[in-house]
Amino acid sequence: MAAPGRNQGLSGNGTIAILGAGSMGQLWAGYLPTGTVTFVPRREVTPETGKSALSYTFQPFEGPEVVVTVPYLLATEARPPLLMVTTKAGDTLDAVESNLHYVSPDTPIVLFQNGMGCQQAVAERWPQRPILAASTTEGANRPTPGCTVHAGKGETWVGPLTGSATTHLRQVVTALGTSGLTVHAAQDIHRRLWDKLIINAGINAFTAILDCPNGDILTDPFYLEHIDELCDEIAKVMKGDTEEALPSITIRERIEMIARKTARNTSSMRSDRQRGRPTEIDFINGYIVRRGHELGVDVPTNQMLTNRIKQLLP
Ligand code: KPL
């Protein structure tokens, strides 16, 4: 385990900074060794403006519930050796931009967003910086304010998006591994992001439109009417985007395996809808629509799901 305040393999002695204190940020902060992690506050923390730490109840996958207290990163001390970005996909570019002033040009930045497009946008904006993406199948949710639950045990792959990130990959994997969660290095992270995109594209919009837990889509006539065409479109766009061809039946099997495995879960998009928050549709089915248009692939089912979600939410 890393000594408090130090992070093995990363340059500098500061704490890993997590930007985005939602369920994914709180999951990692709950498992990383005490004293090695801070949250980036929404506004600068000063003695006048308030709290110096965020506390919440954390239910690990195994073992008793614990109270986790994570200090906020103080502007005066800020020089984190690693920045983990766990914001919603649509907030990522702006969030990174507003925090770069205290992040050294050679500090690795790891993007944990669902979907695709926002990670590439960050890498394109700052091509000289070490930008990495993470694709995770860990499941976390916040059933009540102040309480985060590690609901599903998974794995995390981390890989470089920019040239200079390659030399940081090993250290980043080691640092994230101090959490005790399973973390792998992935040279081809784009492909790993696609593996997750397939699942989100096949589950999230259906659950939000039908307002049901993940498993219930499997017998719903709306899902059954559209899933084969959706998988055909995904297969074609994926082939154009990654050179990797997956038969559409395999795509459907993967979607349905996860829908069964997470049958009682509320998907992140259904949860966004229930809470009246913006969804990540532009980075899931919306991304497939954009790439489809660029590649000359017809994507009417992805377009229909994207439109339906946008009609439901502001
Ligand atoms: O990642 C998910 C999400 O809700 O965003 C799935 C895999 C669909 C689990 O709910």
Side-chain angles (χ1 to χ4, degrees):
M1 193 187 267
R6 289 186 180 259
N7 292 288
Q8 288 166 343
L10 296 169
S11 56
N13 292 335
T15 51
I16 293 176
I18 301 183
L19 176 57
S23 44
M24 197 43 70
Q26 293 193 4
L27 172 85
W28 284 92
Y31 281 116
L32 283 163
T34 309
T36 68
V37 64
T38 45
F39 279 127
V40 177
R42 280 174 189 265
R43 268 171 246 97
E44 195 179 315
V45 176
T46 65
E48 297 76 43
T49 56
K51 293 206 228 155
S52 59
L54 177 70
S55 287
Y56 55 97
T57 309
F58 180 53
Q59 174 62 68
F61 192 68
E62 280 162 359
E65 202 173 84
V66 285
V67 174
V68 175
T69 300
V70 181
Y72 283 122
L73 184 74
L74 297 175
T76 45
E77 294 167 6
R79 273 289 166 215
L82 170 64
L83 181 68
M84 297 170 65
V85 185
T86 51
T87 50
K88 286 283 203 184
D91 298 333
T92 304
L93 196 60
D94 287 349
V96 171
E97 178 138 54
S98 8
N99 284 281
L100 277 185
H101 57 278
Y102 60 78
V103 181
S104 305
D106 60 350
T107 294
I109 299 175
V110 189
L111 308 172
F112 277 79
Q113 285 59 41
N114 256 344
M116 194 94 91
C118 64
Q119 305 91 333
Q120 290 72 15
V122 172
E124 277 161 27
R125 179 81 75 90
W126 295 284
Q128 310 302 334
R129 283 189 175 258
I131 313 276
L132 301 96
S135 178
T136 187
T137 55
E138 300 291 356
N141 57 54
R142 286 192 295 169
T144 52
C147 170
T148 293
V149 177
H150 184 196
K153 184 134 188 55
E155 294 175 82
T156 301
W157 287 265
V158 184
L161 290 178
T162 56
S164 63
T166 309
T167 53
H168 294 267
L169 180 57
R170 211 18 66 218
Q171 300 140 358
V172 169
V173 168
T174 303
L176 294 181
T178 61
S179 62
L181 298 172
T182 306
V183 185
H184 311 279
Q187 285 306 334
D188 190 0
I189 191 64
H190 190 65
R191 178 56 222 280
R192 290 282 174 191
L193 291 171
W194 258 100
D195 288 342
K196 179 94 193 290
L197 181 66
I198 289 172
I199 306 301
N200 291 133
I203 295 179
N204 292 29
F206 285 113
T207 60
I209 293 164
L210 299 169
D211 195 16
C212 67
N214 295 355
D216 289 11
I217 59 173
L218 296 171
T219 49
D220 191 280
F222 177 67
Y223 170 85
L224 293 170
E225 184 187 339
H226 295 292
I227 188 62
D228 283 329
E229 278 171 34
L230 183 79
C231 292
D232 274 350
E233 295 174 17
I234 295 174
K236 287 182 193 144
V237 177
M238 184 182 180
K239 184 163 186 310
D241 204 43
T242 67
E243 295 294 313
E244 180 103 13
L246 270 186
S248 58
I249 181 68
T250 307
I251 293 178
R252 180 166 174 178
E253 282 163 7
R254 286 191 186 184
I255 291 167
E256 299 195 345
M257 187 185 73
I258 301 296
R260 275 192 292 273
K261 231 171 126 179
T262 61
R264 300 319 313 148
N265 281 18
T266 283
S267 78
S268 52
M269 199 173 288
R270 180 184 183 217
S271 162
D272 286 338
R273 184 190 166 189
Q274 287 172 338
R275 292 168 201 211
R277 292 186 306 223
T279 71
E280 297 183 312
I281 193 72
D282 284 336
F283 304 91
I284 301 178
N285 303 89
Y287 174 80
I288 297 173
V289 169
R290 284 197 303 284
R291 283 302 282 141
H293 290 162
E294 284 161 12
L295 294 162
V297 176
D298 285 340
V299 281
T301 313
N302 280 283
Q303 183 74 69
M304 177 275 292
L305 291 174
T306 304
N307 294 348
R308 291 277 302 257
I309 292 294
K310 289 188 176 221
Q311 281 155 10
L312 285 173
L313 285 154

